[in-house]
Amino acid sequence: MTTFDTNLTPAELKQEATQLFLKKRLLSFVLPAAVLAYMAYVFVAFDVAGLWQRASLENARTLVSDSYSYKTHVTRDNRSGAVSVAIEGERKGAYPEGTAPDWVSLGETTVIDLEDGHRVTFGPETIEYVIPGYGTVRATPSRSAGVQAELPAGEVPEWINSSKNRLAIATDAGRLTVTRNRAEVFRYFTGWELFFFTLDSPYYGLGFGELLQRAAGGEAGAILHDVWTNKMWRHQDVAWAIAETLLMAFLGTFGAGLIALPLAFAATRNFMPFAPLRFAMRRLFDFVRGVDSLIWTVVLARAFGPGPLTGALAILVTDTGTFGKIFSEALENVDEKQIEGVASTGAKPAQRYRFGVIPQITPVLLSQLLYFLESNTRSATIIGAITGGGIGLLLTQAIITQKDWEEVAYYITLIILMVMLMDWISGWLRRRLITGETGSSKRKTRAGKAMLLP
């Protein structure tokens, strides 16, 4: 019995219509209620409230500031009294012995001017930090008694953390940490220091104009060499890593296309009459594309070891199944008349495929290949972190250190630019290869449309 059954009496028709409206009203209430119930379950199951409580806005602020700034560390060895200054605390960014930035005065007593009245003094025995508006904090480290801290009278503020073995002070001007063996001050500065030249380069600290003058005077090669071989930012390694990432994406994508195209013929009804083989080929495509590329990466890394080639194989395996499905669907929709026309010329089966089938699916083939090449450029970044290749490996290493977040920001910026470049190249190739549209033809088309307008 249906709503439009003409055999119903008016009373029965009215009753059925009323029931139908009630079902629709109930459905419109049940669906939102089910969604709300599911969201409530997610809120409880994933402990969203606890996650918010555990979140630290201070850590988030530090993380963001670390991405666009750098720290200069002034470190005193409490056992020997030796003082060293290094950018980001790394040996590659260390100032030569006996030298320091202008806000650090080295000597038997080292004075560190953090500006705005903040001053740290490394004395022979005691470390002092003068904090405007609060007072002077003194710390005396020793191997036996730990760190003896002397604080101004009153309640200890939140930005001072004092214990028997450690004193930590965090202010907007800088930070001081004192332990038994070491006292360290670090100060934030905006920018990516040593991005072009390291401290041991003769071009460090020179202005852009002076660099241009030296380049014009015959030192262009030496300047580029110092930038390219920068030990802190590793531009040479980064460029090679980006090339590896693009190579993984290229080999995996186009290798999958070359393998999937002939296999797709065996998965179509109009080219493969043998049903069992057609069924097996389709299930094979489902299997290889049903397993994510990251899982294939782990499996293949176990079999072949880490490396960029393993990442390319992981992309190839996954995309072979995807391309096989896409190409087989395109093949099932080809125009048989065009194939018959080629066959009427006496062409052999291979020639029928070449001139009657391939030209019809070429737009689909190229558009999908170029789209997946763009998408796999992003995937190759994550795959490279697992297989040990490409920019993904460098990004993972920088994240693991938990300190060089400006390098993390640098790598993420490069990845975004790389994806944007691949998107532009992919779009340009699609216009040229599929639609045959060039810059001049676009201008002519727009000019023609303008002439037709009244």
Side-chain angles (χ1 to χ4, degrees), residues 48-121:
V48 176
L51 180 64
W52 178 257
Q53 291 177 355
R54 293 189 299 270
S56 174
L57 296 179
E58 177 64 23
N59 291 340
R61 187 180 68 86
T62 302
L63 176 62
V64 172
S65 64
D66 280 347
S67 65
Y68 63 82
S69 60
Y70 68 95
K71 301 183 295 292
T72 300
H73 295 241
V74 183
T75 306
R76 177 183 185 271
D77 189 332
N78 293 333
R79 293 166 295 184
S80 63
V83 177
S84 60
V85 184
I87 295 174
E88 291 296 348
E90 296 187 10
R91 294 180 179 178
K92 293 174 290 187
Y95 280 78
E97 186 176 355
T99 63
D102 54 6
W103 49 275
V104 179
S105 300
L106 299 176
E108 184 177 354
T109 299
T110 299
V111 179
I112 305 167
D113 184 7
L114 299 178
E115 296 185 352
D116 298 328
H118 291 260
R119 186 177 70 255
V120 177
T121 302

Side-chain angles (χ1 to χ4, degrees), residues 270-292:
N270 48 345
F271 292 102
M272 176 50 64
F274 188 55
L277 179 59
R278 187 171 66 243
F279 176 83
M281 190 58 61
R282 290 185 176 183
R283 300 294 77 78
L284 176 63
F285 290 154
D286 292 339
F287 171 72
V288 294
R289 72 188 175 88
V291 180
D292 192 81

Side-chain angles (χ1 to χ4, degrees), residues 408-419:
V408 175
Y410 173 47
Y411 298 147
I412 292 176
T413 301
L414 290 178
I415 292 171
I416 294 174
L417 292 176
M418 177 178 66
V419 172

Side-chain angles (χ1 to χ4, degrees), residues 410-454:
Y410 173 47
Y411 298 147
I412 292 176
T413 301
L414 290 178
I415 292 171
I416 294 174
L417 292 176
M418 177 178 66
V419 172
M420 291 173 62
L421 178 63
M422 292 302 298
D423 176 55
W424 178 80
I425 294 176
S426 176
W428 179 78
L429 287 174
R430 277 195 292 268
R431 290 192 298 270
R432 290 294 300 271
L433 299 178
I434 299 175
T435 65
E437 187 177 350
T438 63
S440 59
S441 63
K442 288 171 65 178
R443 288 191 294 270
K444 291 179 181 178
T445 302
R446 287 196 296 265
K449 290 180 179 179
M451 294 176 64
L452 293 175
L453 291 175

